[in-house]
Amino acid sequence: MNNFPKILNCTRFSFFGNSGWKSDFSSSPEFLFEENRLRQRFWLFENITLPSLSSQTSSDFHCFVLSSHLMPDWAKSRLDELCRTYIGEGRFTIRFARFGPARKFVRFMLASFSGDDPVAQVVLDDDDALSCDYVETLQANLSGMDVFTEENCPHFITFPVGYVLGLRGKDTRVWRHGYKFINLGLTMIGTTHQKNIFGIRHKEAPKLYGFTSDYQKPMYIRTMNNVNDSNVIIRDKWIPLDDWANSEDINQRFPFLLKPSFEKYHKLPLPIEQREASTEGPVE
């Protein structure tokens, strides 16, 4: 297919700016860069998010990590070290940005990454994960579509079905759930001159611009943790997986989930100034 779009995974790691976050942690650098909070985020990033990228069956993607120039030096070094270890030299870009809209920095990245050509921009939060065949599945979806030009973009691909990893308190639990326009793994195909993945409302934009949905299999892991940036609450329609460690799908497509010692996460100290995340309503 001509003009096949490159794939860019877009992640915010403790970015201090305008990016749609609704948690109290994002309200000030004091809360956002509190050491215990950062250490919790790093544990999730190293044990959940990054292993899902290093285990991809297709390596044909680049990662853009947007962070803040205000983050402590030790944390900047740690972020760079982890990306080098799990993603690899030349396959990621970190920007320690000044305060501003996240969409602006994605636009800069798109221009340097692909010029005027369309890019498949994938949302991946720094405490979530993608299935190990996510990129391969996304490529299959892209290959079945018409030629991408600026005229028929933006276009969205949604993967509504996934898992929830519950890590709050002292328990580790897993559920399966689905939401048609969930932000996890949401892909937006667009150019530098158009809106980008950090400049849209994920529940409204696909309906406005057009979308394709792939319900075939779970494609992501969403974590409920002690330092969530959004208010995630358990819903009645979530399906619990009591024996999740023996699930064939998790063993084959999310094998990295079997490796961490979740007891270590549960023992991490909580942020000193931890407060409940405040939102306009539950995030789905």
Side-chain angles (χ1 to χ4, degrees):
M1 178 174 104
N2 294 327
N3 207 25
F4 191 95
K6 295 181 180 180
I7 297 174
L8 182 69
N9 290 331
C10 299
T11 299
R12 289 162 292 198
F13 189 95
S14 297
F15 170 65
F16 183 60
N18 298 321
S19 64
W21 285 3
K22 298 180 180 180
S23 79
D24 285 346
F25 289 121
S26 64
S27 64
S28 74
E30 178 184 2
F31 295 130
L32 193 62
F33 306 126
E34 196 273 329
E35 182 174 351
N36 288 341
R37 178 193 175 275
L38 283 175
R39 294 199 182 281
Q40 291 232 0
R41 300 301 295 195
F42 273 121
W43 192 96
L44 295 163
F45 193 54
E46 181 177 8
N47 288 276
I48 304 296
T49 309
L50 288 174
S52 81
L53 294 174
S54 62
S55 66
Q56 288 298 311
T57 54
S58 170
S59 60
D60 191 11
F61 63 92
H62 191 85
C63 294
F64 175 55
V65 182
L66 178 60
S67 189
S68 172
H69 80 290
L70 296 175
M71 194 161 69
D73 288 342
W74 71 264
K76 291 179 181 177
S77 298
R78 181 65 174 150
L79 182 60
D80 182 74
E81 175 190 358
L82 288 174
C83 288
R84 290 179 188 277
T85 300
Y86 285 91
I87 303 173
E89 189 72 38
R91 299 187 58 229
F92 70 92
T93 301
I94 301 175
R95 177 155 190 156
F96 296 107
R98 295 187 178 277
F99 188 92
R103 64 180 182 274
K104 177 178 74 172
F105 303 111
V106 174
R107 185 171 69 250
F108 294 158
M109 180 65 203
L110 291 174
S112 63
F113 180 60
S114 196
D116 294 331
D117 293 335
V119 175
Q121 308 152 47
V122 180
V123 176
L124 179 59
D125 287 345
D126 63 347
D127 55 352
D128 297 328
L130 302 172
S131 65
C132 66
D133 59 348
Y134 179 90
V135 172
E136 183 179 347
T137 302
L138 176 58
Q139 290 170 329
N141 276 273
L142 292 170
S143 67
M145 296 180 177
D146 293 333
V147 174
F148 291 102
T149 64
E150 189 164 4
E151 288 71 29
N152 60 13
C153 293
H155 187 82
F156 290 82
I157 302 176
T158 75
F159 298 96
V161 183
Y163 297 111
V164 182
L165 173 65
L167 296 175
R168 292 176 184 166
K170 299 298 181 183
D171 296 324
T172 301
R173 303 176 63 188
V174 174
W175 298 263
R176 175 175 168 143
H177 76 8
Y179 294 100
K180 190 170 186 177
F181 298 118
I182 196 165
N183 205 35
L184 286 95
L186 179 67
T187 297
M188 175 182 181
I189 302 102
T191 69
T192 304
H193 311 293
Q194 299 172 323
K195 287 182 178 292
N196 60 58
I197 199 68
F198 285 165
I200 54 98
R201 295 179 180 272
H202 69 270
K203 292 183 181 180
E204 303 301 328
K207 292 180 284 186
L208 178 63
Y209 294 107
F211 66 92
T212 303
S213 292
D214 186 340
Y215 284 89
Q216 293 188 47
K217 51 192 175 183
M219 296 302 297
Y220 59 80
I221 291 175
R222 169 193 207 174
T223 66
M224 290 198 312
N225 56 70
N226 298 324
V227 287
N228 274 124
D229 289 318
S230 59
N231 184 26
V232 184
I233 59 176
I234 301 170
R235 298 291 191 178
D236 290 340
K237 62 181 179 180
W238 292 11
I239 302 172
L241 276 66
D242 295 330
D243 194 24
W244 61 269
N246 291 315
S247 162
E248 181 178 355
D249 188 53
I250 287 179
N251 275 267
Q252 292 182 357
R253 300 179 54 250
F254 301 87
F256 51 87
L257 195 60
L258 304 174
K259 296 180 180 179
S261 169
F262 292 111
E263 287 299 317
K264 291 183 179 180
Y265 177 78
H266 293 308
K267 292 178 181 178
L268 289 174
L270 296 174
I272 296 172
E273 297 291 339
Q274 181 169 21
R275 300 178 293 172
E276 293 183 358
S278 62
T279 67
E280 297 174 358
V283 175
E284 297 180 353

